Amino acid sequence: MSADLLRLARLGARMRWTITRNSLRRRGRALFVLTLVASSIGAMAGFVTFAGSALMDPDPRRAVLLFGFTMGLVAWMFGPLLMGGTDETVDPAPLALLPLRRRQLAAVMAGSAATSPATVAVAVALLGAFTAGAGGGVISAAVALVTVAALFVGGLGASRSLASLMGLANRTRRGRDLSVVVVSLTGVALWAVSQSAGPLIQSGAASADSTLLAVLAALPPGWAARALLHCHDGNPLAAAPWAAATVGVAILLVVAWARLAGRLLIGGATRVPNRRSIRTQQQIWPRATSATTACLAKEWCYQWRSPMRRTQTIIGVALSVGFPVLQVLPIPDPPPAMVYTALAGLLFSANNAFNVVGFDSPSLWLEFSARGGVRREQLVARLVTYGAGTVVGLVAAGVVVCAVSGNWSELPPYLLLTPTGVLCLMGVGALVSATAPLSAVDGDNPFKRPVGATGCGYAITVMGAMAGLGVLLAPAVVGAILLDGAWRYLPVVASLGWGWAVWRVGTRAAVRRLNERGVDLLAELSPRLAS
Amino acid sequence: MEPGGAIVVDARGLGKRYGQKVAVSAVDLAIPRGAFYGLVGPNGAGKTTLIRMMVGLLRPDSGTVAVLGQPVWPEPAGVKDRVGVLPDDLRLFERLTGQELLTYLGLLRDLPRDTVDERTTALLATLGLTDDASTLVADYSTGMRKKVALAAALLHAPHVLFLDEPFESVDPISARVITEVLDTYRHRGGTVVFSSHVMDTVERLCDHVTILAAGAVVRSGTLDDVRGGKRLDDAFADAVGTPLDAAGELDWLRA
């Protein structure tokens, strides 16, 4: 690497460190300590696990390295996206005005990417893997070092390539939605795999021919694991091809990262309204002849156009379907009542319902400014729109669970129960969002966390509301499970009235609460608008 | 004779489409050295798109553009050390302070540290940002963001300065300061290309003007040529057209 590229890499690292330091200062010392502690724990856990594998029998050692490398890589790639967004140095747009050629830009970004607590934690963990592979002699140690270094560089390249790809995808509506679906489902898959880590490693110990481990061994992280296993056995010659393959993949990923980052520098597509959205608009607005229908029409249009709203809905539906399926899959002969686990989808829509005031708070601000208070129709329209998305997720989840379990007998009462679930969620959500609102701002990054959280108070409110939701739904669900035949429809149908009552009480109380707190609340949610 | 006697920006047949929409259509521009060049046009006329293509931020679909004799495309990095740009969408590192931002951008441009420090201090002082030098960019107002971005565009003493709506969201005092800075820069041999909706400003500052409408050049030349003996806003209205009886539809609008 030339002196110029090294200089740029150092500058990138310094700049990233300054950004990290400034961010942590802004958010408070507690977060800084928390980040350091979490990274240290992760680093030590990874180091001990990988280094400790050297003391294991061959089969569990193989399982640990294969599983650990693959999971580590996937977590490194998707973790930042799932945890609230990548840092601002991923997008090279602020560097677009500088006279940097592709390699120079890559150097700046590499330096920046290598300077984060998470990256350092990965490096420490991989040092443990090197320790595990270095026991087979000097040449084996050298091959192990090359392998681990390539795995680190490749992981960095993969992580940043994905982030850059997300940046490019986010330039178009379709790409953004697609990326949200992919990341949401990956999050579900990561959660599922993390739950089965122990049994998998045990099965690896029991059987080296495990299909899953064979698949993992065929993937690039598995190549690095194979190289290290051969190094551990003192067979560098057998390790060399796998090490070379790991190096090759690392080079490819770094090149991909540089190319994708370069593409981010050049202006992309400008969002031009497509024919479908224009047609939707033309069809909806002429029908809006009253305050209620105008509010509904506005919400429906906004549901399509707001990246944040679409993202929340997509995540809600994806997780609603993914979670119960993961509950059913491990059970050999799931009972028919398993379909009711699909109601857990309500929890994944709670983020929408409990922030119903925060999302699109500017329109409530306008409403308040225009007529001195918030119209109930306005809030109800928003709740109905969110509720529609929740119903889609619940119905899809129920159908998928039944399909997976092969038992459809409980689907009708379940479907009949979904309106009650949604009415209760939205009624409680209206009240929560008017009491402990969380503002959310439409932005470039669909995974960016909302700003303006009230910390522990908000978390406690949300947990209390979720518990309350469970209490409201429990009688109907328990009744449907305990009763037989047509009788099980009795509590389900009766619960519709209960759901309607919760909805009415919740929305009325929420509007009253909104108007009590009035302009101060809305200014809190939209400080820019208020100023 | 043209100021400087040479063309510093030479665009020929530049074009850009976004899907079905034609943003810029076969635009030819020849910007002389030392000019104060105004790009004016109604909203959506293609001013921003044109500037972005000329500075290497947006790849044109057709045509060529050269700055100081060097083609911008296919490798725009070549001209970026000789031009300064204030884009319309200010993408800055939000978690750096104003001073840190300028320092890092200067160092990334390979300027000596002493020079960077000296120029950063001077620019922050000139643009009235000294008191906010230690404030994060994320906490800057829109006007302050524009000023720090202008400082970044000037930091390396470019030959040509491209400014997209530099006076938008800037208070009158700051606008005056920016005007003085640009005027000084121009008198020291720099070339300024800027887009604006404010005809008074364009008329006061520019010696050359191009009027764009619907992505095409409607009029172009020296300020006097384009004005044709009228005020610039009248000439502009003549060139792009105004809706007849604009207030006629608003008969109901009375207190």
Side-chain angles (χ1 to χ4, degrees):
Chain A
M1 189 185 272
S2 73
D4 179 52
L5 295 184
L6 272 176
R7 180 186 67 82
L8 290 169
R10 271 204 309 272
L11 267 174
R14 276 175 54 194
M15 188 167 71
R16 172 65 184 275
W17 166 244
T18 311
I19 288 172
T20 305
R21 188 195 63 200
N22 290 348
S23 302
L24 293 174
R25 268 187 194 160
R26 198 177 197 224
R27 292 181 194 172
R29 193 177 296 272
L31 186 68
F32 178 70
V33 174
L34 194 67
T35 305
L36 279 185
V37 170
S39 302
S40 303
I41 290 174
M44 291 311 296
F47 182 88
V48 169
T49 305
F50 287 136
S53 70
L55 305 173
M56 296 176 181
D57 290 336
D59 283 349
R61 178 166 63 244
R62 177 170 177 265
V64 164
L65 290 184
L66 286 173
F67 194 78
F69 284 178
T70 308
M71 279 301 293
L73 179 70
V74 175
W76 198 5
M77 289 171 69
F78 288 92
L81 303 174
L82 293 166
M83 295 296 287
T86 52
D87 73 89
E88 60 181 290
T89 57
V90 167
D91 187 351
L95 303 172
L97 304 175
L98 300 178
L100 298 173
R101 293 176 190 280
R102 188 174 288 161
R103 292 181 69 186
Q104 293 172 313
L105 177 70
V108 176
M109 299 198 66
S112 161
T115 314
S116 84
T119 311
V120 173
V122 170
V124 171
L126 285 180
L127 208 60
F130 165 69
T131 312
V138 177
I139 301 176
S140 290
V143 175
L145 185 63
V146 170
T147 305
V148 167
L151 189 61
F152 176 76
V153 173
L156 196 60
S159 170
R160 292 284 160 147
S161 294
L162 180 70
S164 303
L165 200 61
M166 288 280 295
L168 287 168
N170 282 342
R171 289 178 173 181
T172 62
R173 175 186 291 249
R174 195 166 294 169
R176 186 188 185 102
D177 291 349
L178 192 63
S179 66
V180 169
V181 173
V182 169
V183 174
S184 304
L185 292 179
T186 306
V188 174
L190 270 178
W191 182 84
V193 176
S194 70
Q195 296 301 301
S196 49
L200 274 173
I201 289 173
Q202 283 169 5
S203 73
S207 164
D209 298 328
S210 155
T211 308
L212 179 65
L213 290 180
V215 170
L216 294 182
L219 298 173
W223 303 347
R226 286 187 185 198
L228 288 179
L229 288 168
H230 286 304
C231 288
H232 176 83
D233 296 339
N235 191 354
L237 212 59
W242 297 113
T246 307
V247 170
V249 170
I251 292 171
L252 283 177
L253 287 168
V254 168
V255 169
W257 172 26
R259 292 184 77 89
L260 289 166
R263 284 185 64 187
L264 274 173
L265 285 184
I266 307 296
T270 292
R271 285 170 193 154
V272 178
N274 60 35
R275 286 179 193 164
R276 189 176 169 186
S277 70
I278 293 169
R279 200 165 55 238
T280 305
Q281 182 184 359
Q282 287 168 344
Q283 284 171 352
I284 287 175
W285 282 107
R287 295 179 196 169
T289 53
S290 67
T292 303
T293 52
C295 287
L296 277 169
K298 177 253 167 191
E299 286 304 317
W300 180 244
C301 287
Y302 200 69
Q303 182 65 34
W304 282 106
R305 291 176 193 167
S306 159
M308 181 66 80
R309 293 267 294 261
R310 282 204 319 278
T311 297
Q312 293 294 336
T313 305
I314 290 169
I315 289 176
V317 172
L319 296 186
S320 297
V321 176
F323 178 79
V325 168
L326 291 174
Q327 303 304 308
V328 176
L329 275 178
I331 301 174
D333 189 17
M338 277 300 287
V339 70
Y340 293 107
T341 59
L343 283 173
L346 289 169
L347 301 181
F348 301 111
S349 297
N351 192 37
N352 283 342
F354 292 177
N355 290 318
V356 76
V357 171
F359 290 131
D360 188 30
S361 48
S363 73
L364 281 181
W365 170 268
L366 289 175
E367 169 92 352
F368 200 94
S369 308
R371 57 189 300 277
V374 172
R375 206 186 300 257
R376 184 164 171 270
E377 291 94 325
Q378 180 88 343
L379 186 68
V380 166
R382 191 167 307 169
L383 288 164
V384 166
T385 316
Y386 278 127
T390 308
V391 168
V392 170
L394 291 181
V395 170
V399 170
V400 172
V401 167
C402 289
V404 170
S405 65
N407 196 325
W408 299 85
S409 64
E410 288 297 316
L411 187 62
Y414 166 79
L415 291 179
L416 210 54
L417 198 56
T418 53
T420 305
V422 174
L423 286 168
C424 286
L425 173 72
M426 293 301 156
V428 173
L431 199 53
V432 170
S433 62
T435 307
L438 194 69
S439 71
V441 181
D442 271 351
D444 291 338
N445 185 347
F447 296 96
K448 200 169 186 175
R449 267 175 276 186
V451 294
T454 46
C456 289
Y458 174 75
I460 290 168
T461 310
V462 167
M463 283 190 280
M466 285 182 172
L469 198 60
V471 171
L472 289 169
L473 286 175
V477 176
V478 171
I481 292 173
L482 293 181
L483 297 173
D484 292 325
W487 287 106
R488 66 204 159 117
Y489 286 95
L490 190 64
V492 172
V493 173
S495 72
L496 284 169
W498 176 240
W500 179 249
V502 173
W503 158 269
R504 292 275 291 184
V505 170
T507 51
R508 283 175 187 275
V511 171
R512 199 165 52 241
R513 181 82 178 131
L514 275 174
N515 289 333
E516 277 168 9
R517 296 185 66 186
V519 79
D520 293 333
L521 170 69
L522 297 171
E524 182 189 321
L525 291 170
S526 302
R528 274 182 187 272
L529 210 65
S531 63
Chain B
M1 184 178 172
E2 300 290 354
I7 301 300
V8 292
V9 180
D10 187 11
R12 294 184 187 182
L14 273 186
K16 184 73 186 174
R17 299 172 74 97
Y18 296 120
Q20 304 287 321
K21 180 177 167 59
V22 178
V24 171
S25 173
V27 165
D28 295 326
L29 277 186
I31 300 177
R33 187 183 300 276
F36 215 125
Y37 203 102
L39 285 174
V40 297
N43 294 329
K47 304 183 291 294
T48 296
T49 300
L50 182 59
I51 287 180
R52 291 175 72 82
M53 288 192 291
M54 290 194 291
V55 300
L57 292 176
L58 184 67
R59 198 185 301 278
D61 293 336
S62 59
T64 61
V65 58
V67 175
L68 297 159
Q70 187 170 357
V72 175
W73 300 98
E75 180 48 75
V79 297
K80 284 182 182 173
D81 58 347
R82 303 166 82 182
V83 304
V85 184
L86 176 70
D88 64 327
D89 57 335
L90 299 175
R91 303 290 292 271
L92 307 168
F93 288 115
E94 304 284 331
R95 307 284 169 158
L96 291 177
T97 66
Q99 183 157 28
E100 288 166 350
L101 178 75
L102 294 180
T103 302
Y104 279 118
L105 292 180
L107 293 175
L108 285 167
R109 282 187 178 276
D110 207 10
L111 295 173
R113 177 70 199 223
D114 292 346
T115 309
V116 171
D117 289 343
E118 186 187 328
R119 291 182 183 180
T120 297
T121 307
L123 283 165
L124 289 172
T126 305
L127 292 167
L129 291 172
T130 303
D131 290 343
D132 297 297
S134 302
T135 304
L136 294 187
V137 171
D139 296 327
Y140 276 7
S141 67
T142 309
M144 290 162 76
R145 290 168 66 85
K146 192 146 271 189
K147 285 196 280 187
V148 84
L150 177 64
L154 291 166
L155 192 64
H156 56 295
H159 295 272
V160 189
L161 204 48
F162 291 88
L163 313 170
D164 197 353
E165 302 283 1
F167 299 104
E168 203 172 58
S169 308
V170 175
D171 65 79
I173 303 296
S174 299
R176 179 178 287 193
V177 171
I178 291 174
T179 303
E180 284 174 15
V181 169
L182 296 179
D183 223 24
T184 307
Y185 168 77
R186 204 269 295 255
H187 282 107
R188 292 178 184 170
T191 305
V192 181
V193 182
F194 84 103
S195 69
S196 180
H197 290 110
V198 187
M199 294 299 152
D200 284 347
T201 309
V202 174
E203 198 160 18
R204 190 158 39 85
L205 294 176
C206 295
D207 46 38
H208 288 71
V209 175
T210 286
I211 299 177
L212 287 170
V217 174
V218 180
R219 282 189 199 174
S220 187
T222 64
L223 179 64
D224 290 337
D225 287 345
V226 171
R227 279 193 300 202
K230 300 178 184 172
R231 283 175 27 175
L232 184 59
D233 53 355
D234 292 331
F236 176 79
D238 288 348
V240 303
T242 50
L244 293 172
D245 191 17
E249 300 289 323
L250 305 179
D251 284 343
W252 50 270
L253 184 62
R254 49 175 67 96

